[in-house]
Amino acid sequence: MKKLLFVIHTLEGGGAEKVLVNLVNNLPREKYKITVAGVFDGGVNKRFLKDDIEHIFLFKKVFRGNVILFKYLPPEKVYKKLVGERHFDIVISYLEGTTARIVSGCRDRQTKKICWIHRELDEAFYKGCFKSKEEADCVYASFDRIVCVANGLINNFCSFNGLYEKTVCLYNVNETAEIIKKSKESADEAFLSDNVVKICFIGKIIRNKGVLRLLRAHEILCEKNIPHRFILIGKGPLERKLASMLKEKGIEKDFVFAGYQTNPYRLLSRCDIFALPSYFEGFSTATTEALILGLPCVVTECSGMSELLGENNEYGIVAKSEDEFYSALEKMVTDKKFREHYAQKAKIRGEKFSMKETLKAHEKLFDELTEATDETETN
């Protein structure tokens, strides 16, 4: 049995945190003993970890300025503080940045190291998490494998460091059967009760997710007197600003803030369209889940979207501009046959990202790395 350690900032409600829980919950226990380490304890996803998964952490609560602190602390000391003298066969930084820097501090020569990349990186990101570009290059070069969650992320990541030979793509693990099962749970919210076309968004209410674009799309549809309803699932710092802007414009009706949901699928499955006008993504978990549930998708062009929906919009609409996003969304709302066509395509595409296939790919990577270690020890 191989010992795996997954290191993440916290188990809060983000996409990476969610797919990490999906992954560790479903890895075979006869092959792996699993520990999840948080820089900080807690988070809404912690409750979903299975009981046989060990959870450890450095600090009980998140504190302000922690990213700056970890930027300057010696990685070896932080890693040792986290795990002590324990040996793991593979240590995985499940996020880029702070956790990558911490895991690079592992000095056990028998341990293989992997770093996951969930998003497009830029110079500002590197400056925020590392003391210098040179340090970032050294940190990532110390890993045995780099995993990008979309093929489109590989060029972005490797353009900074040239680590093409170490970098692979693995799609996120989604609990397909569980998503479908949870989608059938009751949902008696009033905003679901009528037959108006419902457009669902899932994600943090932040600028990078394009929530102001949703407001503009709503405004355009209202101006054209096209019946519709936006349902936003999630929380975030822009929620109050959005609500205020909607009220000022007099269009707050049919723009619903549904808040964070432990089971978003019961709401998502009762909507007609999924919309995600993000500026940045890695490989959108929410879009993948919408496909699994057969929702026609309208998204903006960013990492992973063409891999999900096709290079030529075969399985959904990937808008190349804001105007194209608004036009595609309007057509999806007003043209029932168009909507039904993409609902069928979504169901077909959703099968590609089944848990069975994606989990098998993860196991293959872990086994190849540990087998290489075993061969080295034998020789």
Side-chain angles (χ1 to χ4, degrees), residues 8 12 37 43 79 82 141 158 174 187 208 224 237 256 277 287 362:
I8 195 162
E12 274 301 341
Y79 180 80
L82 181 63
C158 293
N174 297 282
N208 283 350
K224 295 183 177 183
V256 178
T287 306
H362 285 73

Side-chain angles (χ1 to χ4, degrees), residues 100-194:
R101 194 169 181 274
I102 292 171
V103 171
S104 73
C106 173
R107 297 294 181 255
D108 188 336
R109 293 185 178 181
Q110 301 306 314
T111 297
K112 296 293 185 179
K113 294 181 290 189
I114 306 174
C115 183
W116 244 258
I117 306 294
H118 289 269
R119 49 163 285 185
E120 293 175 322
L121 307 181
D122 54 22
E123 293 287 354
F125 170 83
Y126 283 99
K127 288 178 182 177
C129 298
F130 300 96
K131 288 186 285 188
S132 66
K133 173 67 166 55
E134 291 71 26
E135 184 193 45
D137 289 345
C138 289
V139 164
Y140 288 117
S142 73
F143 286 90
D144 297 279
R145 288 289 187 280
I146 305 291
V147 174
C148 291
V149 297
N151 278 303
L153 288 177
I154 292 177
N155 280 336
N156 168 263
F157 174 76
C158 293
S159 67
F160 286 94
N161 47 50
L163 297 173
Y164 287 97
E165 290 185 2
K166 290 186 175 186
T167 305
V168 298
C169 172
L170 288 181
Y171 292 133
N172 292 330
V173 173
N174 297 282
E175 292 191 308
T176 314
E178 192 69 12
I179 289 169
I180 294 169
K181 178 184 175 183
K182 287 183 175 181
S183 74
K184 296 174 181 176
E185 291 183 7
S186 63
D188 55 4
E189 281 81 353
F191 55 77
L192 296 172
S193 62
D194 55 15

